Amino acid sequence: MASLICSPLKSSLSCGSSVRFPCFSSSEPASRLLVHNGIRCNLVEPLKLHNGKPCLPVINNESSLPSFLTSTHLQNSINKNDTRLRIFSGTANPALSQEIACYMGLELGKIKIKRFADGEIYVQLQESVRGCDVFLVQPTCPPANENLMELLIMIDACRRASAKNITAVIPYFGYARADRKTQGRESIAAKLVANLITEAGANRVLACDLHSGQSMGYFDIPVDHVYGQPVILDYLASKTICSDDLVVVSPDVGGVARARAFAKKLSDAPLAIVDKRRQAHNVAEVMNLIGDVKGKVAVMVDDMIDTAGTIAKGAALLHQEGAREVYACTTHAVFSPPAIERLSSGLFQEVIITNTIPVSEQNYFPQLTVLSVANLLGETIWRVHDDCSVSSIFQ
């Protein structure tokens, strides 16, 4: 059966009405459109989930995609030898890199990456990139130091191979939380990492859902900042949830702007805020709730889940205040222990994440849903390569 993916930037849940999208058989034309309560939907192949483990479909030129991710480059078959664009993958998230290349109709570039016995990293490009527009896909997820160093060496290898432009595609930017001094004699590691990437030879950075927008200013090179929000909104719009029952919840005061923007696109849902007091790193204590969630379906929105302490305590508070169901939505699933135990404890109806960080098989649980940002990143790469607007994707 085919599912419906809706363009979240143009959709809205009708007030007081339950939105339910019917399914059609895969034998119907892929280009068929459905208009329901003002929401225009395209039929595409769904993500197949089995006990929390996602099975991502292969994207081909005949697949129908949401309008905001429809690339003109998919209309024709692309010969890799006819383009000066090259995509290389690090070892941090090769599955996402392969999906991006599949969406773009390209093959991943050949690259040799290995570790010596003493832990040093060796990188060699296995094909010429002279005069090419090179994109290196490498999130700096755990182990952060290993993956960051690998990215720097990849950039250096491309620079020394005379690549025309080098773009570091960083779906998850590690050290982004160290973006300011909260106490005396602290480092600002986000600025340091930005300097390292710049000095290594990168000409541009493409990042997804930075912890704070100010991190873009730490780079002395152009930064294209994309958001995983449309992918999550698109998925939520396909669920049977009465718009009057929705409330978007920020797990802390610092995420209010993110939650407000999310709520505006989700039927302009009301907003609630969890007030927390952090006593130490990775330790959070919930104090009180600002807003009404009684009898509501609460959607908690954050940029990342690390140990899940903040979001789990917030969910417990929401249940105490009378919330009917609690959904957790985040772009980056860091999932440091004991995150899995907290998320699978029954507090959440569903935990919705993206694949900016690979989730190991032992970390899957029944409530987990993984959405792919490959199409979003692939379309952004095309636009950067063609010198087209990136922000228009989200308008």
Side-chain angles (χ1 to χ4, degrees):
M1 298 291 287
S3 65
L4 292 168
I5 302 297
C6 310
S7 177
L9 305 182
K10 297 181 180 179
S11 64
S12 60
L13 299 175
S14 301
C15 296
S17 64
S18 176
V19 178
R20 186 178 184 87
F21 301 105
C23 295
F24 300 90
S25 65
S26 58
S27 61
E28 296 192 36
S31 59
R32 177 173 177 178
L33 298 176
L34 173 70
V35 178
H36 183 85
N37 288 346
I39 304 176
R40 189 179 183 184
C41 308
N42 293 346
L43 294 178
V44 299
E45 185 67 18
L47 293 176
K48 299 179 177 64
L49 302 175
H50 301 286
N51 195 26
K53 184 175 181 179
C55 178
L56 296 171
V58 175
I59 303 172
N60 54 49
N61 293 347
E62 298 179 354
S63 297
S64 176
L65 296 171
S67 57
F68 71 101
L69 289 179
T70 301
S71 173
T72 56
H73 299 277
L74 290 180
Q75 297 174 4
N76 301 309
S77 178
I78 299 172
N79 187 341
K80 183 173 181 290
N81 295 324
D82 293 339
T83 179
R84 306 299 291 174
L85 188 153
R86 298 287 189 273
I87 303 175
F88 293 93
S89 173
T91 60
N93 197 345
L96 175 59
S97 303
Q98 185 60 61
E99 289 178 52
I100 293 173
C102 184
Y103 169 82
M104 300 179 68
L106 299 172
E107 294 180 2
L108 286 176
K110 298 177 181 178
I111 185 171
K112 182 179 181 180
I113 303 175
K114 69 177 183 179
R115 263 72 171 173
F116 290 110
D118 61 354
E120 293 180 2
I121 301 172
Y122 173 83
V123 173
Q124 181 190 28
L125 302 178
Q126 301 287 290
E127 60 185 72
S128 174
V129 295
R130 185 178 297 274
C132 292
D133 201 0
V134 177
F135 292 82
L136 305 175
V137 183
Q138 174 81 341
T140 54
C141 52
N145 298 331
E146 281 280 314
N147 291 328
L148 174 60
M149 194 63 198
E150 183 179 302
L151 173 62
L152 297 176
I153 298 176
M154 290 171 65
I155 294 172
D156 183 70
C158 292
R159 179 174 64 88
R160 296 180 186 278
S162 301
K164 183 179 181 180
N165 291 301
I166 304 170
T167 301
V169 181
I170 311 176
Y172 170 72
F173 182 64
Y175 288 103
R177 285 174 284 185
D179 57 359
R180 65 190 184 280
K181 292 179 68 172
T182 58
Q183 302 179 48
R185 300 174 296 282
E186 282 186 335
S187 68
I188 303 179
K191 172 59 177 172
L192 173 61
V193 173
N195 287 343
L196 289 172
I197 293 173
T198 303
E199 290 301 319
N203 303 110
R204 179 182 292 270
V205 167
L206 197 168
C208 183
D209 270 330
L210 292 169
H211 185 64
S212 60
Q214 68 205 42
S215 298
M216 288 186 286
Y218 294 157
F219 290 89
D220 296 325
I221 55 178
V223 177
D224 290 301
H225 188 200
V226 300
Y227 304 90
Q229 186 182 85
V231 178
I232 297 175
L233 282 165
D234 196 47
Y235 175 76
L236 288 175
S238 67
K239 301 185 73 66
T240 307
I241 302 176
C242 180
S243 58
D244 285 345
D245 292 342
L246 283 171
V247 58
V248 175
V249 182
S250 173
D252 54 37
V253 176
V256 171
R258 182 185 303 107
R260 184 185 294 115
F262 193 92
K264 185 177 181 180
K265 294 181 175 68
L266 195 65
S267 294
D268 201 13
L271 184 67
I273 304 169
V274 176
D275 178 34
K276 71 174 185 181
R277 304 294 170 89
R278 189 179 293 279
Q279 297 175 328
H281 294 298
N282 293 329
V283 177
E285 180 182 356
V286 173
M287 302 302 292
N288 56 14
L289 178 69
I290 304 171
D292 180 27
V293 298
K294 189 173 183 179
K296 302 278 189 177
V297 176
V299 179
M300 301 189 73
V301 180
D302 208 349
D303 64 317
M304 70 174 71
I305 296 178
D306 190 355
T307 60
T310 296
I311 204 163
K313 290 183 179 181
L317 178 63
L318 293 175
H319 282 294
Q320 292 176 12
E321 295 293 329
R324 190 169 79 243
E325 293 177 350
V326 178
Y327 289 80
C329 300
T330 188
T331 303
H332 309 300
V334 182
F335 285 177
S336 303
I340 302 304
E341 290 78 5
R342 289 169 171 169
L343 295 173
S344 60
S345 62
L347 289 171
F348 299 97
Q349 180 76 14
E350 192 172 0
V351 178
I352 304 167
I353 64 173
T354 71
N355 61 343
T356 56
I357 298 176
V359 180
S360 58
E361 190 170 350
Q362 61 266 26
N363 285 341
Y364 288 116
F365 53 94
Q367 296 88 358
L368 183 66
T369 298
V370 181
L371 306 178
S372 178
V373 294
N375 296 357
L376 180 65
L377 293 175
E379 181 64 25
T380 304
I381 290 173
W382 268 128
R383 292 181 182 231
V384 171
H385 175 67
D386 289 342
D387 295 324
C388 297
S389 171
V390 172
S391 61
S392 60
I393 298 177
F394 307 97
Q395 294 175 355

